[in-house]
Amino acid sequence: RFEMFDERDQPFPVERLPGRLALQGLESEAAIRYRVKATNQERWSVVRATPIFDERGEVRFAVNAFHDVTARKAAEDRLRLLAEASELLAQSFDYRQTFGAIARLIVARLADSCHIWIEEDGALVRVASATSELDREDVLEAFPERIELDDERALTARIYRTREPFLLEETSAEQLSGVTPTDRAAALARFPVRSGLGVPLLHGDRAIGVLSYASLVAGRHDEKDLALAELI
């Protein structure tokens, strides 16, 4: 039902599970990220296991204690992402290359998809995109390369015009259809967004573009993510 990963984002070997080690007589502790396959929802737990011995010194059973540290890990990821994004912005004068790296960084740390749009000649041009799955490049191709600033149904254009961030903590395909141009319906059908956000990119007092990212899991993004996106 779920997958397990360690703190280096590598698959967690079953034989290293604290409970398994406790049954061998070893007390151990590990931080494990669990991903539910059916929903992609993720949780972090620090697991500590203690062996219980009988009068002959043999292990009778193991006691496992799970401490949920999802909130703490999310905060650590946000701080790490902000530091890495700042470093990327300082490394290159090629904004397309830099934005591409930032989009991939956001997908690796926080989201399932990320798009960065820059205003050019009265429209928002998509200069960088990334998805969590390499085989979803067809989804990126389904999104428009250009959004007119006066497009009333385009949420991205609205964020740019109003300079106000937008947060969807939980949504459905039906709700998104009300703020999504028809030409993006195909992309949403193949990549069913359930939560996401968008913030204006500002240079001084002037809006220059929009940063947005989304997840296939409802409730994955919240006000803390919104604040982080604004800092980037």
Side-chain angles (χ1 to χ4, degrees):
R1 295 184 296 108
F2 53 85
E3 300 170 303
M4 298 181 295
F5 301 89
D6 62 20
E7 293 182 286
R8 296 175 298 174
D9 206 31
Q10 298 299 311
F12 198 99
V14 174
E15 62 272 14
R16 280 180 45 210
L17 286 172
R20 296 288 184 95
L21 295 177
L23 291 175
Q24 300 172 35
L26 304 173
E27 187 168 336
S28 67
E29 181 178 284
I32 305 174
R33 175 164 59 92
Y34 299 90
R35 178 188 296 156
V36 180
K37 292 181 179 179
T39 63
N40 273 342
Q41 187 174 22
E42 295 184 348
R43 306 293 297 180
W44 276 95
S45 288
V46 170
V47 185
R48 185 174 184 83
T50 303
I52 304 299
F53 300 92
D54 61 18
E55 62 279 2
R56 297 188 302 275
E58 297 179 355
V59 178
R60 291 195 60 192
F61 55 89
V63 175
N64 288 271
F66 291 79
H67 179 52
D68 190 294
V69 293
T70 304
R72 189 189 79 193
K73 284 293 185 181
E76 291 174 357
D77 279 346
R78 291 183 180 104
L79 289 173
R80 187 159 45 245
L81 183 143
L82 186 59
E84 292 180 19
S86 298
E87 184 177 344
L88 288 171
L89 288 169
Q91 284 179 350
S92 174
F93 292 105
D94 183 339
Y95 74 92
R96 286 182 179 267
Q97 178 180 341
T98 300
F99 285 148
I102 288 176
R104 292 189 294 273
L105 177 63
I106 288 173
V107 166
R109 294 271 193 251
L110 295 177
D112 289 310
S113 69
C114 178
H115 304 285
I116 298 177
W117 310 79
I118 296 297
E119 189 276 327
E120 293 181 5
D121 300 324
L124 289 171
V125 178
R126 182 160 59 92
V127 297
S129 290
T131 62
S132 56
E133 302 176 41
L134 294 178
D135 60 352
R136 304 309 291 266
E137 292 299 324
D138 62 315
V139 175
L140 295 182
E141 293 173 0
F143 280 92
E145 296 289 337
R146 179 185 176 95
I147 297 176
E148 299 302 323
L149 293 181
D150 59 359
D151 188 337
E152 294 296 331
R153 289 198 65 193
L155 179 57
T156 306
R158 186 191 310 172
I159 293 169
Y160 178 87
R161 291 195 307 268
T162 64
R163 301 187 189 181
E164 294 180 358
F166 191 89
L167 174 65
L168 288 169
E169 294 191 51
E170 185 169 352
T171 189
S172 65
E174 292 74 19
Q175 291 171 313
L176 280 176
S177 64
V179 293
T180 305
T182 304
D183 58 2
R184 299 176 74 169
L188 289 172
R190 283 177 280 181
F191 203 80
V193 170
R194 290 295 175 263
S195 61
L197 59 85
V199 297
L201 294 174
L202 303 175
H203 181 67
D205 295 330
R206 185 170 67 90
I208 61 171
V210 173
L211 164 68
S212 65
Y213 55 86
S215 174
L216 302 178
V217 179
R220 184 174 181 185
H221 302 300
D222 55 25
E223 295 288 346
K224 295 185 180 68
D225 291 296
L226 198 63
L228 173 66
E230 290 182 294
L231 288 174
I232 295 174

